């Protein structure tokens, strides 16, 4: 397959790049973090985005955009510009061709009030980031023939961008005991997408284990023996302008794939 990977310089994009480039011809893009062999692209350069997407790829994997929740909350117009508008440009560029789009979306399209979420559950985002992902999904789903893959918090080591481990880089790591997730291990994502990408509509890909953020961070710290002290906190201890859904557990009614459990993932992470 010939694949365009938007956001290959990012944390998730880097993990996808390392797995997908083993078996496919992958063209990756970066915006500010140049990498050898990748092409520079600003999502706001619409003619360039459209020209790249129309270059005869079998699949465009869209893993680029404004991801930090606080940054999206602080600048909703920029979040829309980077997370929603490019999807319209991509759809216009590939319409009528054989190129399919795979949009990476997020569990933040849900409000976190239910024990678990499947593809059929109603979305109700509580923050700007979640609203932009919901709007991007709507565009793709209205067109038909493309795929939205919702993923939860991703953990692990990226080949170049390491936004997850960076959270554990200070002397103290504050982690919430009142946020529950089913995180996915980064190396499992590429193979999972490759098994799902022939589908259309929406699919969920969640991790097997359900843990609090505090438990996840504590177990990663111990597995890697990182020089940080993970301290428990609750919402009141960490005031933020950005609301976070309290419990996000993605499950699927469309397939049986789940990411590895924490024991298996952390044993792999510890091998470097
Ligand atoms: N990380 C998670 O836990 C998680 C969870 C659920 C869903 N997701 C989804 O996964 C995708 C990737 O997330 P991530 O964690 O890998 O984020 P990330 O590390 O911040 O990477 C973002 C990517 O987007 C690129 N980008 C940013 N602004 C751009 C612009 N103006 N033009 C072109 N490219 C731009 C970045 O390029 P440069 O780095 O070169 O600037 C980078 O390649 C997103 O769609 C996100 O919603 C992530």
């Amino acid at each position: 397959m010939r694949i365009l990977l938007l956001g290959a310089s990012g944390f998730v994009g880097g993990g996808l790049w390392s797995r997908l480039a083993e078996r496919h011809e992958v063209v990756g893009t970066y915006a500010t973090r140049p990498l050898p062999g990748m092409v520079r692209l600003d999502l706001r350069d619409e003619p360039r985005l459209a020209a790249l997407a129309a270059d005869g790829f079998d699949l465009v994997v869209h893993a680029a955009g404004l991801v930090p929740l606080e940054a999206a909350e602080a600048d909703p117009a920029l979040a829309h510009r980077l997370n929603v508008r490019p999807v319209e440009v991509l759809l216009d560029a590939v319409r009528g061709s054989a190129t399919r789009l795979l949009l990476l979306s997020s569990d933040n399209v849900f409000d976190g009030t239910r024990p678990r979420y499947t593809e059929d559950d109603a979305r109700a985002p509580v923050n700007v980031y979640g609203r932009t992902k919901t709007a991007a999904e709507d565009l793709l789903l209205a067109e038909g023939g493309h795929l939205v893959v919702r993923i939860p918090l991703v953990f692990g080591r990226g080949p170049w961008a390491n936004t997850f481990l960076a959270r554990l880089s200070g002397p103290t790591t504050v982690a919430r005991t009142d946020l529950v997730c089913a995180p996915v291990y980064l190396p499992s994502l590429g193979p999972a997408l490759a098994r799902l990408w022939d589908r259309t509509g929406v699919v969920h890909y969640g991790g097997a284990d359900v843990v609090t953020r505090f438990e996840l961070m504590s177990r990663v710290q111990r597995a890697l023996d990182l020089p940080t002290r993970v301290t428990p906190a609750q919402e009141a201890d960490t005031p933020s302008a950005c609301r976070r859904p309290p419990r996000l557990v993605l499950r699927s009614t469309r397939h049986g794939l789940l990411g590895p459990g924490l024991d298996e993932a952390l044993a792999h992470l510890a091998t470097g």
Side-chain angles (χ1 to χ4, degrees):
M1 288 238 294
R2 192 163 170 264
I3 299 171
L4 174 63
L5 176 55
L6 302 173
S9 56
F11 170 61
V12 169
L16 292 178
W17 169 274
S18 3
R19 301 306 300 263
L20 299 182
E22 289 169 354
R23 288 167 179 251
H24 303 279
E25 181 190 340
V26 184
V27 174
T29 74
Y30 68 89
T32 61
R33 293 179 277 189
L35 285 159
M38 293 195 188
V39 298
R40 187 175 181 283
L41 169 77
D42 189 317
L43 292 167
R44 291 164 292 191
D45 183 345
E46 295 184 4
R48 173 132 175 77
L49 175 60
L52 248 185
D55 194 24
F57 291 95
D58 299 299
L59 183 71
V60 177
V61 177
H62 184 16
L66 187 65
V67 181
L69 268 60
E70 281 77 13
E73 206 69 21
D75 194 341
L78 181 66
H80 188 274
R81 189 78 187 79
L82 295 182
N83 292 352
V84 185
R85 174 63 188 154
V87 175
E88 283 177 309
V89 176
L90 287 170
L91 284 166
D92 287 345
V94 305
R95 191 168 291 121
S97 76
T99 305
R100 296 181 62 245
L101 303 181
L102 187 164
L103 172 71
L104 276 183
S105 189
S106 161
D107 51 6
N108 267 270
V109 300
F110 298 113
D111 64 8
T113 56
R114 296 171 64 97
R116 69 192 62 80
Y117 290 94
T118 69
E119 292 91 348
D120 305 320
D121 285 314
R123 299 162 305 166
V126 299
N127 52 45
V128 170
Y129 170 75
R131 284 194 282 278
T132 62
K133 300 306 277 192
T134 304
E137 287 187 357
D138 284 341
L139 289 167
L140 210 81
L141 296 173
E143 187 90 7
H146 302 291
L147 178 65
V148 169
V149 181
R150 293 192 191 123
I151 56 173
L153 176 72
V154 182
F155 71 103
R157 184 182 289 108
W160 31 77
N162 259 311
T163 43
F164 176 78
L165 289 178
R167 299 175 194 211
L168 289 143
S169 59
T172 303
T173 302
V174 176
R176 297 266 299 267
T177 54
D178 56 351
L179 292 181
V180 174
C181 57
V184 141
Y185 186 48
L186 181 61
S188 75
L189 199 51
L193 289 195
R195 290 180 64 179
L196 295 171
W197 65 34
D198 286 341
R199 294 164 183 259
T200 58
V202 183
V203 293
H204 286 182
Y205 178 61
D209 286 337
V210 177
V211 286
T212 66
R213 292 287 188 107
F214 174 72
E215 188 178 351
L216 173 66
M217 292 310 195
S218 301
R219 290 189 61 182
V220 172
Q221 183 274 326
R222 285 198 299 274
L224 297 180
D225 196 21
L226 296 171
T228 185
R229 194 165 65 89
V230 183
T231 60
Q234 297 217 326
E235 186 175 12
D237 309 320
T238 56
S240 163
C242 181
R243 280 182 66 200
R244 285 168 190 272
R247 182 183 172 92
L248 290 172
V249 178
L250 291 182
R251 291 293 178 256
S252 181
T253 53
R254 299 194 60 196
H255 62 83
L257 283 185
L258 271 181
L262 274 183
D263 286 344
E264 184 186 341
L266 294 177
H268 182 269
L269 183 64
T271 63

